[in-house]
Amino acid sequence: MHRSHTNGELRIENNGQEVTLAGWVQKTRDKGFMIWVDLRDRYGITQLIFDEDRTDKAVIEKAKTLGREFVIQVKGTVIERQSKNNKIPTGEIEILVTSLEILNAALVPPFTIEDETDGGEELRMKYRYLDIRRNPVKESLIFRHKVSQEVRNFLSNEDFIEVETPYLIKSTPEGARDFVVPSRMNEGQFYALPQSPQTFKQLLMVGGMDKYFQIVKCFRDEDLRADRQPEFTQIDCEMAFVEQEDILTIFEGLTRHLLKKVNNVEIGDFPRMTFDHAMKTYGNDKPDIRFGMEFGELNDVVKHRNFKIFDEAELVVGIAVPGGASYTRKEIDKLVDWVRRPQVGALGMVYVKCNEDGTYKSSVDKFYDQEDLAKWAEKTGAKPGDLICVLSGITNKVRAQLSALRMELAERLNLRKPNEFAPLWVIDFPLLELDEETGHYHAMHHPFTSPKPGQMELLDTDPGAVKANAYDLVLNGNEIGGGSIRIHDKATQAVMLKHLGFSEEDAKAQFGFLMDAFEYGAPPHGGLAFGLDRLVAILAGKETIRDFIAFPKNNSGRDVMIDAPANLDDAQLSELNLQLNITKA
């Protein structure tokens, strides 16, 4: 073997032992008569010493040629360090080297392999294999492994069976865009990469597997952001003979297990909140409940005071910012500018300072007196010393705008503490969403989600009012999992697809295999899928997911390290029966 110990293993108790180590050169210090080398591997750093009085001259000469990131093997004796380093576990010892072998020389890396590096994100992604050597990335990948192992441990102990489902499947028109794969053997036909294993896990329930899970890659060809990649990993789960409460109980247990094992945090109750309440109170369906600033709707106390902006608004709504009355006019103006950014889209913001003496000072004092503003404070829960921020406009838009402001203010006020965890179930989602451009309804979750009991008949009279038997698990303002009780009979599934605009022929072509399976004794079933990438990042106290993925894509969906996606040559295109139509200017 190339090593008898790792570089994070040796301690003062090993003093006097003959050892063999291997790894990468972190840095060297040459004093002429003595050379020190920090040798690094995944497990840590060990200091090597080459001493002209105790080390062979040829070995010292070879040590003088070492550069950063050279891969070497050394043999030597563990000795006590004269100048100890209490910042690393091996800091009490060093290795007096007797032999040195250079296993591989290295070019000077394009950025420093240090915790605090001088490499920008794009450069580090291009040389990701070097970036992985840095402790922050290495530890993130090890952390992900630990979470995955604990997921498998918990679900296996609950009698779930891990089953692999296909990656080459059939494209369906629901959800995000598919990544498609041409079939060489079936000319003109294409596979799709799965956006989720949804239909397969339902078929496993028909097959009697009862409890299934899979840690699985999924693919969606959609716009990217910090917490979204074109390929991502799900903890995909399904259970038979269950109702909603059974599923919530199991996955509360999994979440508690992870927080205890990974973060050593005990969690009590998981609050339940309806979708409608979440939207009205927080402006989004994944609220962060670690802090307050709940919405106060102000329509009944602001209308008909000759303030045209409020009088013409569909909704006027505000939040109380704790301690915000101390903000200067310049600081408030910056908040106004922030909500006016295109990413938020508000036209402006009205504010009220709640003074410590119980009086109020607002940007609309011309229209509202002290009694009026006291009612605003009551509606928003504002206390003396707080600042009330008010937005107005179309209901859905203004809620989203105020939600964005609430989250921004929470960041500025350090209310989103990464070591605090507040889980939440959001339930009773709408079954259908109206596409304002086309005027058609589409499934808010997916076409296989069951309506809440007793609501099926509303599909014909008031489809927008139908509630889904669906649920999302939210942690610290992030959706970490979502699922539903599924439709499990052919007739109900046919009705659902009809209301989603599928003809009988289209429904059979797209989903006939599933509907046929329902005729052979499908049990009631439901499930949930966690987004593993996002879950791991949140458990680690981070917002972005890239450092928890070994080889992530950039914001354009490119792998800059291997330069993918890339063109195919004409021979490959011909073999796949494809032809690119490129019009040259």
Side-chain angles (χ1 to χ4, degrees):
M1 291 185 66
H2 282 293
R3 58 189 179 185
S4 62
H5 298 78
T6 69
N7 289 315
E9 185 176 352
L10 297 169
R11 301 291 187 270
I12 193 65
E13 293 78 18
N14 301 104
N15 191 24
Q17 287 186 15
E18 297 294 321
V19 298
T20 302
L21 301 181
W24 289 265
V25 173
Q26 177 79 12
K27 61 184 176 181
T28 63
R29 299 178 297 284
D30 187 348
K31 297 297 185 182
F33 61 92
M34 197 173 290
I35 300 172
W36 288 274
V37 174
D38 285 349
L39 187 64
R40 183 193 72 243
D41 63 11
R42 170 186 139 190
Y43 305 93
I45 290 176
T46 298
Q47 180 170 284
L48 313 177
I49 181 170
F50 300 79
D51 181 354
E52 67 177 16
D53 292 332
R54 295 177 287 176
T55 306
D56 184 82
K57 184 176 181 181
V59 175
I60 290 182
E61 289 304 312
K62 189 182 287 188
K64 289 180 180 291
T65 69
L66 296 178
R68 285 193 293 145
E69 302 307 311
F70 274 43
V71 184
I72 64 172
Q73 180 194 53
V74 298
K75 295 181 180 179
T77 305
V78 180
I79 62 174
E80 185 174 359
R81 281 174 70 159
Q82 290 185 342
S83 178
K84 294 180 173 57
N85 180 356
N86 60 11
K87 294 181 180 179
I88 58 175
T90 60
E92 289 188 288
I93 59 94
E94 59 191 356
I95 308 303
L96 178 61
V97 177
T98 56
S99 74
L100 164 65
E101 182 179 353
I102 297 175
L103 301 175
N104 215 331
L107 298 174
V108 176
F111 54 87
T112 55
I113 313 297
E114 302 278 358
D115 290 4
E116 297 294 331
T117 183
D118 56 359
E121 185 175 40
E122 196 76 1
L123 180 65
R124 289 186 289 109
M125 288 181 71
K126 181 175 177 62
Y127 297 94
R128 183 63 166 179
Y129 46 86
L130 298 179
D131 201 27
I132 291 172
R133 295 180 190 174
R134 296 193 310 114
N135 283 327
V137 181
K138 175 197 72 178
E139 289 166 2
S140 293
L141 296 180
I142 294 171
F143 184 85
R144 180 190 179 106
H145 162 75
K146 182 177 180 181
V147 173
S148 297
Q149 287 299 99
E150 291 299 339
V151 167
R152 284 191 164 95
N153 291 342
F154 178 88
L155 292 175
S156 297
N157 287 335
E158 292 289 338
D159 291 331
F160 282 77
I161 303 300
E162 187 166 11
V163 182
E164 295 180 25
T165 53
Y167 278 171
L168 296 176
I169 65 169
K170 184 178 184 179
S171 182
T172 60
E174 284 296 315
R177 296 183 187 89
D178 288 325
F179 282 101
V180 295
V181 181
S183 171
R184 178 182 60 82
M185 293 182 291
N186 300 277
E187 183 175 346
Q189 295 187 312
F190 296 80
Y191 298 106
L193 299 178
Q195 296 183 32
S196 84
Q198 181 61 46
T199 55
F200 289 99
K201 66 180 179 181
Q202 291 190 248
L203 292 171
L204 285 169
M205 296 303 102
V206 178
M209 288 307 295
D210 189 59
K211 290 182 177 180
Y212 140 94
F213 86 99
Q214 183 180 191
I215 298 181
V216 58
K217 279 283 188 185
C218 301
F219 308 84
R220 293 179 187 172
D221 188 5
E222 57 186 356
D223 295 338
L224 307 178
R225 57 180 186 236
D227 61 347
R228 180 183 290 167
Q229 290 271 300
E231 54 178 315
F232 57 97
T233 306
Q234 284 187 178
I235 308 166
D236 198 59
C237 308
E238 197 80 1
M239 303 168 66
F241 302 108
V242 290
E243 296 177 343
Q244 177 177 295
E245 193 62 33
D246 301 309
I247 293 174
L248 269 55
T249 298
I250 280 286
F251 294 107
E252 281 183 16
L254 174 58
T255 307
R256 283 195 178 93
H257 176 83
L258 293 175
L259 285 167
K260 177 61 178 175
K261 291 291 187 178
V262 176
N263 298 85
N264 198 29
V265 170
E266 299 274 5
I267 292 293
D269 293 335
F270 282 55
R272 311 282 175 88
M273 184 182 298
T274 66
F275 171 86
D276 290 342
H277 181 78
M279 296 302 295
K280 183 174 182 178
T281 310
Y282 298 100
N284 70 71
D285 59 2
K286 48 182 185 298
D288 191 336
I289 58 172
R290 287 175 294 178
F291 57 94
M293 287 195 280
E294 296 181 0
F295 289 11
E297 296 194 351
L298 303 173
N299 280 20
D300 59 343
V301 295
V302 300
K303 298 276 190 177
H304 313 303
R305 296 291 193 278
N306 297 317
F307 186 50
K308 187 177 180 181
I309 293 172
F310 284 177
D311 287 344
E312 294 179 352
E314 187 176 25
L315 176 66
V316 182
V317 61
I319 55 173
V321 183
S326 63
Y327 288 5
T328 64
R329 178 59 186 269
K330 186 177 181 179
E331 288 174 316
I332 293 174
D333 286 344
K334 285 183 178 179
L335 278 182
V336 175
D337 291 339
W338 192 90
V339 300
R340 283 176 170 165
R341 296 180 315 142
Q343 300 95 316
V344 180
L347 297 178
M349 184 185 84
V350 170
Y351 69 87
V352 181
K353 286 188 173 186
C354 303
N355 298 321
E356 295 288 355
D357 63 3
T359 62
Y360 303 94
K361 177 63 181 173
S362 82
S363 55
V364 286
D365 281 345
K366 179 179 177 182
F367 301 93
Y368 299 94
D369 59 25
Q370 292 290 297
E371 186 177 343
D372 293 325
L373 299 178
K375 293 177 182 177
W376 295 20
E378 182 181 353
K379 290 277 189 180
T380 58
K383 299 178 176 58
D386 292 350
L387 177 74
I388 304 173
C389 298
V390 181
L391 301 180
S392 61
I394 298 170
T395 298
N396 289 341
K397 289 184 177 179
V398 76
R399 282 177 174 166
Q401 291 161 358
L402 191 60
S403 176
L405 177 61
R406 175 180 180 267
M407 296 297 278
E408 174 66 16
L409 287 165
E411 288 286 353
R412 297 184 184 189
L413 295 168
N414 295 316
L415 299 176
R416 303 190 71 201
K417 301 185 187 306
N419 57 348
E420 292 181 6
F421 297 94
L424 165 75
W425 286 109
V426 178
I427 59 175
D428 294 354
F429 284 80
L431 182 68
L432 305 173
E433 266 185 317
L434 182 65
D435 188 322
E436 295 182 0
E437 291 185 9
T438 65
H440 298 303
Y441 282 99
H442 61 85
M444 191 169 193
H445 192 55
H446 56 58
F448 317 111
T449 295
S450 174
K452 296 284 281 189
Q455 299 213 341
M456 194 70 186
E457 58 273 14
L458 285 175
L459 281 172
D460 289 321
T461 58
D462 191 4
V466 180
K467 298 298 183 185
N469 209 342
Y471 33 81
D472 278 358
L473 181 55
V474 177
L475 184 63
N476 295 359
N478 295 271
E479 177 204 332
I480 61 167
S484 67
I485 299 297
R486 323 300 187 188
I487 296 169
H488 67 278
D489 67 276
K490 183 174 182 178
T492 304
Q493 189 64 73
V495 171
M496 182 67 177
L497 292 172
K498 177 184 175 183
H499 281 279
L500 291 173
F502 288 85
S503 67
E504 190 173 333
E505 294 76 18
D506 288 341
K508 183 173 179 59
Q510 294 289 343
F511 306 113
F513 66 94
L514 181 65
M515 295 168 74
D516 288 347
F518 287 166
E519 295 193 288
Y520 289 92
H525 59 280
L528 179 143
F530 285 86
L532 178 63
D533 308 304
R534 190 178 302 171
L535 173 62
V536 169
I538 294 167
L539 292 176
K542 307 294 183 183
E543 289 288 329
T544 57
I545 65 176
R546 282 185 188 158
D547 278 351
F548 298 90
I549 298 172
F551 300 101
K553 307 292 190 292
N554 68 8
N555 280 340
S556 300
R558 295 196 63 82
D559 186 324
V560 296
M561 182 182 66
I562 64 172
D563 194 23
N567 295 324
L568 297 179
D569 62 34
D570 290 342
Q572 288 176 291
L573 291 171
S574 177
E575 190 175 41
L576 293 168
N577 303 297
L578 295 175
Q579 182 178 357
L580 292 181
N581 295 315
I582 301 175
T583 303
K584 294 183 178 180

